[in-house]
Amino acid sequence: MPNPSRLRAAALTATALALSVLLAGCGGGSQEDDEDLTGQKLDWKDCPAPSEAEGGGAAPSPLPDGDAWQCATMRAPLDWDDPEGDTIGLALIRAEASGAADRRIGSLVFNFGGPGGSGVTTLPAFGQDYAKLRTRYDLVSFDPRGVGRSDPVECLDDEQLDTYFQQDATPDDRAERTELVDNTEKFNAACAKNSKQILPHVRTTDAARDMDLMRQVLGDDELHYFGISYGTELGGVYAHLFPKHVGRAVFDAVVDPTQTAEQSSLGQAKGFQLALDNFAEDCVSKTEDCPVGDTAEDVKTRIARLLKDLDRKPIPGVFPRELTETAATGGIAQALYSKDFWEYLTEGLEQAYDGDGRVLMVLSDALNGRNEDGEYSNITAANVAINCADDKPRYDPAYVEGKLPAFRDASPLFGDYLAWSMLSCTDWPVAGAADHPDVSAPGAPPILVIGNTGDPATPYEGAGRMVDALGKGVGVELTYKGQGHGAYDSKNRCVQDAVHGYLLDGRVPAAGTVCS
């Protein structure tokens, strides 16, 4: 069962690769610890294949111009309150700037979200999308602490995770509720047993301090930054802690920094319902018949009926597993992250109505970080660990039950799923830091904040609230009237021109700019 914030970052690359297979038939070393970690020299080498915790697969292919991706490990304090104590290794990846040396601005650091996503695997997967930015920047990303190769949080093993994700995450009676609570306690206890040392040190404030160390080790006076989804929260926390070190920064698919975990979950229920509404309208507006319903309401009614049927009797999924109600709900949510995946959702629903759950299960697997070999990345473990270390509120079953009407009103389809996911931190062994992050950044330079009106995972309203929270003269809002999670990767020319103009040439777009 995903934590509510788990739905902030879709494993879109994994989804595309897994579906292509189905439908068709960083390592490097570092020098020994320096007394002053800011003076360490990174030992950049060709990147190895991703670890299982990073999602597995092959080493990144060369860039279009033939250059190789390079990986290294940076040492950072395990505990930033004891900077001269034990250290951990943070995995980094880079593609050196492709343009003339005298035009190079510095490094552009990416965080693609999650929390819990591996930047070391995600950046090369989308590297060609940032080719223009590479003309003046080294493109750099990393596995944040607790993620991938960076001292990963470990909880359940692969076999146990298969069972965990097959559970009923929307209990209908006391027995199902008890089972859900018991499984959550077992998951959290496994995290505490297997990752005791790192769990207290994976807060977003820790990752932000890591990024400032990274800035110095990379040789930059300022941190130039591109944050997506949870990466906007991380960027906002960095700006709060180090406003004078902020360079040119873009926040895309913006997390609302003013919300508690409950408010975020409720906002996501509304956001995913909006995306489902838009999918249904789009399907029936095609010139050909929509294969999953005659009207938009019919599409949603049939989906609700499918989920109800699956709650009673799952259907075959990816052998030997079955497609349960929970897996189908996760698969539908995953497909709503990008309009490019709506065709997969249509196909998955059409097949599920005929008793074949494979496509929806592949989508669900991508959400949960499972590859076709049955191996899980540590995205779920890291996601829960980071969110629970950040978020102070703890919710019990009685509280969730009292909130179900509001969640169901926000989304008949996703309401129960997101309400019950609030139990993820109930018995977590580390106390949460705050109700919500502090991103106030007086004195920071302009930060471009991009909101997408059709974003399911980080609803549009969060962009305006991020601008307000950053403070006067810092946040500059741009609106994209589109679908899916985020704006830049939609390939919208207006959005990309604004981002390129700021990051490459320092031109800040007018506040309130609208792209459609």
Side-chain angles (χ1 to χ4, degrees), residues 6 11 51-56 116-118 121 147-148 152-153 156 158 161 165 365-371 374-382:
R6 170 66 184 86
S51 67
E52 181 177 338
E54 289 176 309
S118 166
T121 57
V147 176
V153 175
L156 303 177
D158 293 337
L161 284 170
F165 288 120
D365 284 347
L367 182 71
N368 296 326
R370 187 186 196 271
N371 67 24
E375 298 175 341
Y376 286 86
S377 74
N378 88 313
I379 189 170
T380 296

Side-chain angles (χ1 to χ4, degrees), residues 30 40 42 72-76 88-92 210 213-214 217:
S30 70
Q40 65 185 292
L42 299 178
T73 301
M74 183 186 80
R75 304 307 303 178
I88 58 173
L90 303 180
L92 275 62
D210 291 339
L213 175 60
M214 191 183 309
V217 171

Side-chain angles (χ1 to χ4, degrees), residues 14-15 30 66 75 78 88 93 142 166 172 225 340 369 426 457 462 487 489 495 513:
T15 306
S30 70
R75 304 307 303 178
L78 169 65
I88 58 173
I93 189 169
F142 64 107
Q166 290 289 94
D172 301 313
Y225 181 74
D340 291 342
T426 300
D489 283 334
V495 172
T513 296

Side-chain angles (χ1 to χ4, degrees), residues 54-334:
E54 289 176 309
S61 300
L63 291 146
D65 61 5
D67 287 352
W69 291 94
Q70 299 175 320
C71 288
T73 301
M74 183 186 80
R75 304 307 303 178
L78 169 65
D79 183 351
W80 274 103
D81 290 333
D82 181 19
E84 296 182 359
D86 292 341
T87 64
I88 58 173
L90 303 180
L92 275 62
I93 189 169
R94 76 172 179 185
E96 292 184 285
S98 61
D102 61 353
R103 294 275 294 162
R104 180 183 177 278
I105 296 171
S107 299
L108 181 62
V109 176
F110 289 80
N111 181 281
F112 296 95
S118 166
V120 171
T121 57
T122 304
L123 181 58
F126 290 99
Q128 62 184 10
D129 295 344
Y130 304 109
K132 191 160 186 176
L133 297 174
R134 187 181 166 224
T135 61
R136 300 197 67 189
Y137 291 99
D138 295 345
L139 305 184
V140 177
S141 194
F142 64 107
D143 290 353
R145 53 177 58 218
V147 176
R149 285 188 193 272
S150 299
D151 206 341
V153 175
E154 297 177 351
C155 300
L156 303 177
D157 63 28
D158 293 337
E159 184 177 352
Q160 291 169 326
L161 284 170
D162 271 347
T163 301
Y164 179 74
F165 288 120
Q166 290 289 94
Q167 71 179 315
D168 190 339
T170 55
D172 301 313
D173 55 40
R174 184 171 298 277
E176 290 182 352
R177 188 184 78 172
T178 298
E179 183 179 12
L180 177 63
V181 171
D182 288 347
N183 286 336
T184 302
E185 290 176 350
K186 290 175 183 176
F187 181 93
N188 293 353
C191 300
K193 177 182 177 182
N194 296 325
S195 301
K196 181 178 181 180
Q197 182 185 40
I198 190 67
L199 290 187
H201 307 296
V202 295
R203 294 190 171 100
T204 298
T205 50
D206 296 314
R209 294 182 187 281
D210 291 339
M211 287 205 303
D212 199 59
L213 175 60
M214 191 183 309
R215 170 191 66 79
Q216 297 171 76
V217 171
L218 291 171
D220 292 329
D221 293 330
E222 299 171 316
L223 179 76
H224 306 295
Y225 181 74
F226 199 138
I228 301 164
S229 195
Y230 162 79
T232 66
E233 180 178 323
L234 174 58
V237 170
Y238 179 89
H240 170 69
L241 294 175
F242 306 102
K244 300 301 184 183
H245 292 156
V246 176
R248 299 174 186 176
V250 173
F251 294 175
D252 186 8
V254 184
V255 171
D256 187 336
T258 69
Q259 293 184 328
T260 64
E262 177 187 341
Q263 292 167 333
S264 176
S265 293
L266 187 60
Q268 283 197 328
K270 296 174 183 177
F272 277 96
Q273 187 64 44
L274 173 62
L276 182 69
D277 294 344
N278 292 337
F279 160 76
E281 291 285 355
D282 180 77
C283 188
V284 300
S285 70
K286 308 287 188 189
T287 53
E288 67 273 14
D289 291 338
C290 174
V292 292
D294 297 326
T295 66
E297 286 304 313
D298 185 39
V299 170
K300 290 182 285 185
T301 298
R302 292 189 68 191
I303 293 173
R305 188 182 308 129
L306 170 68
L307 296 179
K308 200 169 195 179
D309 290 343
L310 291 172
D311 190 30
R312 290 193 296 265
K313 185 179 180 181
I315 61 175
V318 177
F319 184 80
R321 295 171 300 141
E322 293 182 314
L323 181 73
T324 62
E325 176 195 19
T326 299
T329 304
I332 293 166
Q334 174 71 348

